[in-house]
Amino acid sequence: QVRLVESGGGSVQAGGSLKLSCAASGGINSACEMGWYRQAPNSERKLVSAISTDGTPKYADSVKGRFTISRDNANHTLDLHMNSLKPEDTAVYYCAADRAVTDDRNGYTRCVKWEFWGQGTQVTVSS
């Protein structure tokens, strides 16, 4: 049973920094993507940043240049460094991961997108 546990949320003033961490357990496969989503009140959940197994990151336009995502495949952890925080970054942040499915006949692994989710951690940025 894959489990994702976030930590590091909290309250900060605009311009400040926070680091979110996600610890994965239960057999997460490092061959697939991991990422961070966020959901503000009365809004849909949106992708903030994702990172592939080789470390290639992607970011939402709203956080480019301010957030940095990283992963440690050996320890199954995912981090999000958030700098120059703005009030509009206020949201519940969720760690998410793909589910790897391997075909035993040929060894091919495919990634089922965003199958696993953490419980979320609140980030509040005050002006």
Side-chain angles (χ1 to χ4, degrees), residues 12 29 41 76 113:
V12 66
N29 193 313
H76 304 298
K113 299 304 298 178

Side-chain angles (χ1 to χ4, degrees), residues 55-79:
T56 302
K58 55 186 178 186
Y59 300 96
D61 287 343
S62 59
V63 306
K64 280 181 182 175
R66 299 189 297 121
F67 291 11
T68 302
I69 192 171
S70 61
R71 68 187 289 176
D72 182 338
N73 291 331
N75 294 305
H76 304 298
T77 58
L78 178 73
D79 291 333

